[in-house]
């Protein structure tokens, strides 16, 4: 029996296992995507004061804590039934831009660029950010610089990079210093130049990936993402828009609290990751995707000049509704540019320096729902409290959850196309993990597990023996 | 008039008056002895055992906050052994209940956490108990989170001795000891509570806090009992 173990290539955030089952003739019969580790936090939060939720939930994810913070404080705002001061809302959005920039930069340069630039079949030992640094030092340096810019935005606002406590229910806890604003505005053009360069680079290589584009989860699905009243891309606050695979808008969720009318949650066998679906279409037909690809599909425009230009070109090349999950990469880069432009707009608005940044109140409503886009897609925090403000129940729906069904399908599709059991090649399994990376799932937070874990792919022969295993 | 005595602290001669405790004399002489349950202006109870010192000729360690000075006494405030025992005390306090500093309102301003940092405690050496502890959110402005209570009884004493309300007490014994208010009522229903907030201010940890503060936001002022005595919970 042949058994190859490829170990370790750490390029994914989270913990999951993919099993690929083969027919006796060595062809793929079916695939399974399981998320195996769970350390529930629901029990832990029961009875805690609601205003601790932002800090608690931000700790379930080290990669996009700010998205959790924002969804959580928005849910708390609702429990307090306050209107967040406009300056505070802008500052939160600015913080969110910083998060998108750093997260998208990480995803693209550290997790995906090695595959894209060094090649899917290149030496796995070098197919990482160090290999990239070796062969394309300028690109790798760009990646580091862009990520740093996003982190600096966060740091200047929140004074703390990883789990800022600056975002609080009712607003933020300190206004923006004029000096910090100046510094951000000074660094911004450099970041914008990187985003432009990277997009140009991506566009120059994208055509080399025809086979991947055609096989990386091209099954049409619905899409969901936040937009404003004008249909423009929104990251911090907006209405969830659902669109079908043809580009028809199916519905828009007016108030956060009514999300449950549109989103059902199914439990899957052998996986702790729940599978949300578009309720009106039912479980089988309601598969939708979220995240960069979905956001750029549902939005009519971005609302910032350069990103809109790229948005136009992107849709011209790949159609009004872009179906291939491979294009998550492309969409992510457009969004990075958008986030930089949006940050610039927010910083240029004089009211960003306003001093009134926090509304205070006690418990005025017993339920609160907060919805924001995380870099990987829609994030929903839903809490119920008693009159004293003690959490009675909490539900989080996370980007990777929304994508669960679609990701399962993509894995199956990629496996069928690239995996052939009679010949084992590293590049095949790498493509399977690459499709997972295209979705950029954040698995530790999807299962509310604490800490970092990894992806395992197993190839299982018809007689049940494991013939190959890859850990990333 | 109290009689003058002379003692040695870490080898230095220090003048003191009869009736003073080792901790009082040491502090006045500028010597550092860690303490958690002790607060100047309140009676000393010797509950936390952080202030232990060595006294020559005495076979066991003594709490500085409750041990009166005696003429000719020689006290050691710091040694390998003391450091080990003090670390153990903090270790026990951290493992006994549920301290998740990262999500605590007092993170960064907590006396227990401060001591852990000072002693270089990066992780706890005893198994966590994970006891299920209630959080009392019934008071309009304050919250009592038993998960973070170290039973120092500073709140009990400030309430009884300074405010004169004597709302708080401890109930049960040993590991089951719990802080309790007015015949075990929820805080919001306690009629003898004046709402002055003194207990919140003296609580060394995040166990008592004002409501609504996010993580790290609760700062307290327990440095001066005379300042505390003037506090009327925001009312005249
Ligand atoms: S009370 Fe102090 S030691 Fe306990 S969790 Fe809060 S900060 Fe940490
Ligand atoms: S509530 Fe605070 S002050 Fe009172 S006993 Fe507990 S830790 Fe000490
Ligand atoms: S300070 Fe002396 S025993 Fe606590």
């Amino acid at each position: 029996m042949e058994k190859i173990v490829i170990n370790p290539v750490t390029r994914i955030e989270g913990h999951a296992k993919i099993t690929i089952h083969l027919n006796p003739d060595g062809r793929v019969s079916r695939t399974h995507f399981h998320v195996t580790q769970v350390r529930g936090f629901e029990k832990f939060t029961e009875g805690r004061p609601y205003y601790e939720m932002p800090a608690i939930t931000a700790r379930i994810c080290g990669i996009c804590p700010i998205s959790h913070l924002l969804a959580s404080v928005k849910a708390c705002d609702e429990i307090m039934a306050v209107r967040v001061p406009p300056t505070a809302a802008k500052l939160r959005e600015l913080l969110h831009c910083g998060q998108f920039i750093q997260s998208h930069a990480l995803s693209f340069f550290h997790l995906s660029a090695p595959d894209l630039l060094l090649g899917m079949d290149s030496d796995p030992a070098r197919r990482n950010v160090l290999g990239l640094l070796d062969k394309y030092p300028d690109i790798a340096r760009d990646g580091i610089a862009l990520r740093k810019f996003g982190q600096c935005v966060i740091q200047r606002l929140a004074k703390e990079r990883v789990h800022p406590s600056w975002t609080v229910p009712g607003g933020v806890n300190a206004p923006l210093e004029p000096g910090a604003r100046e510094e951000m505005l000074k660094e911004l053009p450099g970041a914008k130049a990187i985003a432009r360069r990277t997009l140009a680079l991506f566009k120059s290589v994208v055509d080399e990936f025809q086979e991947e584009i055609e096989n990386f989860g091209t099954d049409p699905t619905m899409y969901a993402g936040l937009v404003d009243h004008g249909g423009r891309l929104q990251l911090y606050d907006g209405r969830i828009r659902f669109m079908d695979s043809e580009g028809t808008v199916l519905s828009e969720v007016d108030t956060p609290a009514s999300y449950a009318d549109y989103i059902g949650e199914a439990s899957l066998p052998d996986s702790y990751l729940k599978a949300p679906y578009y309720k009106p279409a039912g479980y089988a037909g309601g598969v939708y995707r979220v995240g960069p690809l979905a956001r750029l599909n549902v939005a009519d425009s971005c609302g910032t000049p350069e990103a809109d230009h790229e948005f136009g070109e992107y849709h011209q090349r790949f159609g009004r509704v872009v179906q291939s999950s491979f294009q998550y990469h492309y969409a992510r880069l457009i969004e990075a540019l958008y986030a930089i432009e949006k940050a610039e707009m927010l910083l240029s608005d004089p009211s960003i320096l306003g001093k009134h940044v926090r509304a205070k109140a006690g418990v005025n409503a017993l339920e609160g729902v907060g919805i924001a886009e995380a870099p990987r897609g829609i994030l929903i925090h839903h809490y119920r409290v008693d009159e004293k403000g003690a959490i009675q129940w909490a539900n989080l729906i996370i980007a990777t959850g929304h994508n669960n069904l679609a990701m399962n399908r993509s894995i199956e599709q990629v496996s069928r196309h690239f995996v052939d059991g009679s010949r084992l090649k590293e590049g095949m399994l790498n493509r399977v993990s690459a499709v997972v990376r295209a979705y950029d799932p954040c698995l530790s937070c999807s299962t509310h597990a604490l800490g970092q874990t990894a992806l395992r792919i197993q190839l299982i022969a018809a007689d049940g023996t494991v013939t190959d295993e890859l850990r990333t | 008039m109290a009689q003058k005595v002379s003692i040695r602290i870490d080898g230095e001669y220090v003048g003191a008056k009869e009736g003073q405790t080792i901790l009082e004399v040491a502090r006045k002489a500028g010597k550092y002895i860690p303490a958690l349950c002790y607060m100047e202006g309140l009676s000393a109870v010797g509950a936390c055992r952080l202030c232990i010192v060595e006294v020559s000729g005495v076979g066991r360690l003594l709490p500085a906050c409750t041990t009166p000075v005696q003429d000719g006494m020689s006290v050691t405030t710091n040694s390998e052994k003391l450091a080990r025992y003090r670390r153990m005390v903090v270790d026990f306090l951290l493992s006994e209940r549920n301290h998740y500093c990262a999500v605590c309102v007092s993170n960064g301003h907590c006396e227990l956490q401060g001591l852990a940092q000072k002693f270089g405690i990066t992780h706890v050496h005893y198994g966590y108990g994970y006891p299920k502890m209630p959080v009392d959110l019934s008071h309009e402005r304050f919250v009592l989170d038993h998960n973070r209570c170290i039973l120092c009884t500073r709140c009990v004493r400030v309430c009884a001795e300074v405010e004169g309300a004597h709302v708080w007490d401890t109930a049960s014994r040993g590991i089951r000891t719990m802080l309790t208010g007015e015949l075990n009522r929820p805080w919001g229903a306690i009629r003898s509570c004046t709402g002055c907030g003194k207990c919140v201010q003296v609580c060394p940890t995040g166990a008592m806090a004002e409501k609504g503060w996010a993580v790290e936001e609760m700062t307290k002022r327990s440095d001066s009992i005379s300042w505390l005595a003037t506090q009327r919970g925001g009312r005249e």
Side-chain angles (χ1 to χ4, degrees):
Chain A
M1 188 186 71
E2 207 177 347
K3 182 165 173 159
I4 309 167
V5 181
I6 304 116
N7 205 12
V9 195
T10 346
R11 282 189 287 148
I12 192 171
E13 319 293 348
H15 175 103
K17 189 171 98 182
I18 295 172
T19 46
I20 303 170
H21 298 265
L22 303 172
N23 285 331
D25 63 4
R27 308 291 309 176
V28 172
S29 71
R30 65 198 157 88
T31 64
H32 249 311
F33 177 61
H34 351 225
V35 177
T36 42
Q37 193 195 357
V38 71
R39 235 164 92 194
F41 85 113
E42 282 91 347
K43 270 266 133 330
F44 174 73
T45 59
E46 221 180 270
R48 307 254 16 126
Y50 71 94
Y51 52 78
E52 285 188 358
M53 289 303 275
I56 295 171
T57 54
R59 258 108 193 143
I60 61 180
C61 175
I63 305 302
C64 55
I66 291 172
S67 309
H68 281 285
L69 271 176
L70 291 174
S72 183
V73 292
K74 286 174 80 178
C76 293
D77 296 343
E78 284 208 348
I79 287 170
M80 294 153 70
V82 291
R83 267 212 320 251
V84 172
T87 299
K90 286 176 192 156
L91 286 169
R92 284 181 181 180
E93 186 168 7
L94 182 59
L95 180 76
H96 206 24
C97 288
Q99 157 92 344
F100 264 76
I101 296 163
Q102 78 92 13
S103 171
H104 279 3
L106 176 76
S107 166
F108 184 77
F109 289 98
H110 293 242
L111 308 177
S112 311
D115 283 338
L116 300 177
L117 300 177
L118 303 172
M120 295 272 178
D121 299 295
S122 63
D123 175 11
R126 307 292 304 150
R127 199 176 52 218
N128 52 37
V129 76
L130 292 177
L132 194 70
L133 202 58
D134 233 25
K135 216 158 160 212
Y136 302 99
D138 293 346
I139 295 169
R141 261 198 292 274
D142 267 2
I144 292 163
L146 188 59
R147 179 146 194 247
K148 186 153 163 245
F149 172 72
Q151 283 171 331
C152 284
V153 169
I154 297 169
Q155 218 165 8
R156 294 232 171 71
L157 292 170
K159 317 268 186 292
E160 191 188 340
R161 216 165 22 188
V162 185
H163 298 297
S165 54
W166 172 73
T167 326
V168 294
V172 295
N173 79 6
L176 176 61
E177 308 278 341
R181 176 205 197 192
E182 291 315 309
E183 281 170 50
M184 285 187 266
L185 279 170
K186 218 182 310 145
E187 290 162 6
L188 210 134
K192 212 194 262 180
I194 294 176
R196 285 189 201 121
R197 268 204 296 280
T198 313
L199 261 164
L201 171 80
F202 183 85
K203 287 190 280 188
S204 72
V205 301
V206 64
D207 290 330
E208 293 163 26
F209 291 90
Q210 211 46 47
E211 196 181 357
E212 280 80 10
I213 293 173
E214 279 163 22
N215 295 287
F216 262 45
T218 49
D219 266 4
T221 59
M222 297 175 200
Y223 297 94
L226 298 189
V227 294
D228 67 8
H229 282 275
R232 284 176 292 258
L233 172 67
Q234 287 298 312
L235 301 179
Y236 165 66
D237 197 26
R239 305 136 62 86
I240 305 179
R241 178 186 271 187
F242 288 93
M243 180 178 268
D244 71 10
S245 58
E246 308 292 317
T248 312
V249 175
L250 298 171
S251 47
E252 276 180 23
V253 182
D254 281 326
T255 53
S258 56
Y259 81 89
D261 297 340
Y262 299 89
I263 298 172
E265 287 182 271
S267 299
L268 297 183
D270 351 305
S271 182
Y272 283 105
L273 188 58
K274 280 204 233 149
Y277 58 94
Y278 180 61
K279 228 181 196 170
Y283 171 63
V287 180
Y288 61 88
R289 279 179 272 183
V290 298
L293 182 80
R295 285 192 288 255
L296 295 197
N297 276 342
V298 302
D300 303 324
S301 67
C302 295
T304 60
E306 290 192 40
D308 268 337
H309 183 77
E310 296 290 345
F311 181 89
E313 181 180 339
Y314 168 76
H315 283 298
Q316 214 153 43
R317 279 174 95 152
F318 302 104
R320 173 63 191 90
V321 181
V322 182
Q323 308 280 7
S324 173
S325 290
F326 186 82
Q327 304 300 4
Y328 266 101
H329 299 302
Y330 194 161
R332 202 168 280 130
L333 292 175
I334 297 176
E335 282 191 344
L337 180 60
Y338 163 82
I340 296 167
E341 285 187 291
K342 188 81 195 183
E344 188 174 24
M345 281 164 73
L346 288 162
L347 283 165
S348 311
D349 176 348
S351 72
I352 196 84
L353 293 174
K355 297 280 176 252
H356 177 47
V357 292
R358 186 173 192 168
K360 291 195 179 158
V363 177
N364 291 307
L366 299 184
E367 199 160 349
V369 177
I371 302 181
E373 284 285 357
R376 293 153 185 83
I378 297 170
L379 176 59
I380 303 174
H381 281 218
H382 183 185
Y383 313 144
R384 281 193 201 120
V385 297
D386 64 13
E387 322 74 62
K388 297 183 298 236
I391 293 281
Q392 305 297 300
W393 176 90
N395 187 31
L396 311 194
I397 306 183
I398 283 145
T400 305
H402 296 287
N403 279 337
N404 195 358
L405 292 174
M407 203 153 48
N408 266 301
R409 281 199 193 171
S410 300
I411 290 165
E412 181 135 353
Q413 187 191 8
V414 170
S415 307
R416 281 185 197 288
H417 187 83
F418 290 102
V419 177
D420 183 342
S422 58
R423 292 173 296 124
L424 286 164
K425 267 205 240 124
E426 209 276 328
M428 297 174 190
L429 292 182
N430 186 45
R431 280 185 179 78
V432 177
S433 64
V435 77
V436 175
R437 282 200 294 276
Y439 284 95
D440 191 16
C442 179
L443 298 161
S444 65
C445 86
S446 328
T447 53
H448 314 158
L450 305 156
Q452 273 205 18
T453 35
L455 175 73
R456 232 164 83 206
I457 303 177
Q458 284 186 330
L459 197 58
I460 298 180
D463 62 1
T465 51
V466 177
T467 61
D468 200 357
E469 180 160 322
L470 173 81
R471 285 168 193 273
T472 63
Chain B
M1 217 188 104
Q3 203 157 351
K4 289 203 173 142
V5 296
S6 169
I7 64 166
R8 277 199 303 175
I9 301 181
D10 298 334
E12 271 174 52
Y13 281 98
V14 181
K17 286 195 215 102
E18 204 166 63
Q20 282 186 300
T21 62
I22 297 173
L23 188 65
E24 279 165 348
V25 175
R27 286 214 171 160
K28 199 161 271 162
K31 293 267 174 202
Y32 173 75
I33 299 176
L36 259 181
C37 68
Y38 174 78
M39 218 187 121
E40 200 183 323
L42 302 181
S43 59
V45 290
C48 74
R49 298 294 173 187
L50 264 163
C51 65
I52 41 170
V53 290
E54 292 174 26
V55 175
S56 44
V58 180
R60 59 202 167 87
L61 304 175
L62 295 172
C65 70
T66 53
T67 308
V69 290
Q70 277 174 3
D71 201 24
M73 205 178 220
S74 173
V75 177
T76 306
T77 64
N78 215 336
S79 68
E80 191 62 29
K81 181 176 174 190
L82 287 171
R84 195 169 68 240
Y85 277 101
R86 287 174 186 154
R87 263 203 306 274
M88 218 187 271
V89 167
V90 172
D91 244 359
F92 275 132
L93 289 175
L94 287 170
S95 59
E96 197 171 349
R97 294 198 176 176
N98 305 302
H99 293 270
Y100 299 98
C101 301
V103 301
C104 180
V105 285
S106 287
N107 191 9
H109 317 286
C110 168
E111 290 182 38
L112 176 62
Q113 186 190 46
L115 285 174
Q117 271 159 358
K118 193 173 186 112
F119 297 163
I121 298 175
T122 48
H123 57 279
V124 168
H125 298 84
Y126 307 103
Y128 285 104
Y130 299 117
K132 182 103 189 93
M133 287 281 155
V135 183
D136 183 350
L137 279 157
S138 59
H139 193 277
E140 208 186 310
R141 289 181 294 128
F142 307 129
V143 43
L144 167 59
D145 184 348
H146 291 277
N147 290 288
R148 298 168 182 157
C149 173
I150 56 170
L151 297 168
C152 68
T153 69
R154 270 157 60 158
C155 56
V156 175
R157 286 170 285 145
V158 80
C159 183
E161 298 167 14
V162 182
E163 180 65 4
H166 204 144
V167 167
W168 303 110
D169 254 309
T170 52
S172 298
R173 314 173 75 177
I175 192 98
R176 291 204 180 78
T177 312
M178 290 283 282
L179 187 71
T180 177
E182 204 183 77
L183 298 171
N184 207 15
R185 288 214 177 112
W187 199 344
I190 293 177
R191 275 164 298 183
S192 55
C193 173
T194 64
C196 71
K198 289 184 175 65
C199 53
V200 174
Q201 292 300 325
V202 299
C203 175
T205 69
M208 282 187 176
E210 288 160 4
K211 269 189 172 177
W213 292 118
V215 63
E216 296 171 9
E217 286 194 316
M218 184 68 216
T219 51
K220 299 180 180 182
R221 211 181 137 181
S222 59
D223 50 323
S224 144
I225 203 81
S226 37
W227 175 80
L228 273 170
T230 64
Q231 292 309 293
R232 306 295 325 142
R235 296 186 307 268
E236 284 310 308

